[in-house]
Amino acid sequence: MVALRGDGPLKLGGTLRVSVAGAESNVAIGLARLGHRVHWTGAVGADEAGELVLRTLRAEGVEVSGATRDATAPTGLLLFEPRLPEVTRVHYYRTGSAGSRPAPAAVERVFATAPPRVLHLTGITPALGPAARATARHALRLARRHSTLVCLDVNFRARLWTADEAAEVLRGWLPWVDVLIASGDELPLCLPGPAGEPGEDAARLLALGVREVVLTHGADGATAFTGADGPHHQPAVPVRAVDPVGAGDAFVAGYLSALLDGADLAGRLARAATTGAFAAASRGDWEGAPTRAELSLLGAPPGTVVR
C-alpha cells in the first residue's frame, strides 16, 4: 500500500508524509537488508501509487517480477494518525483495491521459476477479501508441493475482519504452517475450543503439527516453543522507542533471517529482538530496518560516533 503519515489529528488537516507500507513488504525489505534474496508477490494498481510501491521495493533489493499491475483497481491506501504520544490510529482504504485480489497465476510463476526456501504469509492478506484468501491458500498448497517452509504471522487486524472470520480461515491454514508467530491474545484464533494460557495454547499448536510457535510480548520480548527445544525466552533489547509501528515485522524478518542462516532457537530470537529494536527506535514501517553490518550497533554505548 501507499502510506500517508500525519503529524496530528487528520480532521484538522496538515501535512502528510508519503511512504509505502504493508506487513509482507516490511518483512521483505528487512530480509533484503540482511542480505537475503527475497521475492515479493502481490498486486498493485496500474497507477502512480502502485509504481511507488514497486519502485521502493526494487530500490531495497526486493525482487518484484512476480508482482502484477491491475488496471481495474487502485493501489490500497493506509493513513496513520498519531493521536497521543503512545497511541496511533490506523485507517485502511483497501476494499476493492488491487491488493485485495492478487492473481494465483503470479504465485504459480514464482514457484515454477525458483521455489522459495520460506513462504511468509500474514493474517492480513486473507482479511482483504475472498480473492486474496484463495490466492494465499493456493500459495500454501504450492509450498507443500515444493517442500517450502511456511511462516505465518497472525497479525490480526480488527478493522479488516472479525475474530470469528479470522479464526475460520487461520484454523483451516494450520496444517500447512511450520512456524507460527503471534501475540498471546492472537493464539486462540488458531485453535478450536476455549483459550488457555499462552504456553498451553502453544503446546496444543505443537501437538497439531506446527514446528515452532513464537509468542511476542512487545516490550517484554518473546518466547519460542518447539517440540524439542523450549520454551526459550528472549528479553527485548532496550532502546529509546520512537515508533512501534513495524517493529513486529522487523522482528519476523530477523527471526527468518537467522533461521535461513541455520541459527539455533536462541540465535533466531536474539536476532529478531535486535531487528525489532531497530524498528522501534526509528520512524516508519521499514525505514529503520538494519543491514547485517549494523546489527552490532545496538551494543554501542550512548554517545558513540562511528567514524
Side-chain angles (χ1 to χ4, degrees), residues 17-45:
R17 183 170 65 86
V18 183
S19 183
V20 168
E24 297 85 357
S25 55
N26 294 343
V27 172
I29 290 172
L31 280 165
R33 286 194 178 179
L34 292 169
H36 300 280
R37 185 179 177 187
V38 189
H39 202 130
W40 181 86
T41 304
V44 297

Side-chain angles (χ1 to χ4, degrees), residues 1-3 19-33 38-42 44 52-54 56-58 60-64 78 94 120-122 124-125 155 246 249-250 253 285-287 289:
M1 300 165 289
V2 163
S19 183
V20 168
E24 297 85 357
S25 55
N26 294 343
V27 172
I29 290 172
L31 280 165
R33 286 194 178 179
V38 189
H39 202 130
W40 181 86
T41 304
V44 297
L52 173 61
V53 171
L54 298 180
T56 300
L57 290 169
R58 283 195 299 266
E60 289 295 330
V62 176
E63 176 62 49
V64 294
L78 183 67
R94 304 187 73 174
H120 177 63
L121 296 171
T122 77
I124 297 175
T125 297
N155 249 338
D249 300 327
D285 273 50
W286 50 269
E287 286 84 347

Side-chain angles (χ1 to χ4, degrees), residues 140-230:
L140 289 170
R141 288 194 291 266
L142 290 169
R144 174 62 58 85
R145 189 182 308 164
H146 291 277
S147 300
T148 295
L149 182 143
V150 173
C151 173
L152 171 63
D153 184 359
V154 173
N155 249 338
F156 176 65
R157 297 291 185 266
R159 289 196 169 191
L160 293 177
W161 59 350
T162 67
D164 288 342
E165 290 171 327
E168 181 180 359
V169 171
L170 297 177
R171 290 169 189 175
W173 283 13
L174 209 58
W176 284 286
V177 175
D178 298 295
V179 179
L180 181 74
I181 300 176
S183 60
D185 58 345
E186 290 174 332
L187 279 188
L189 297 175
C190 303
L191 286 164
E197 292 297 318
E200 296 172 351
D201 286 344
R204 290 175 62 197
L205 286 164
L206 294 174
L208 289 172
V210 178
R211 286 167 44 184
E212 301 178 21
V213 178
V214 183
L215 283 178
T216 57
H217 313 301
D220 292 324
T223 306
F225 303 79
T226 71
D229 186 14

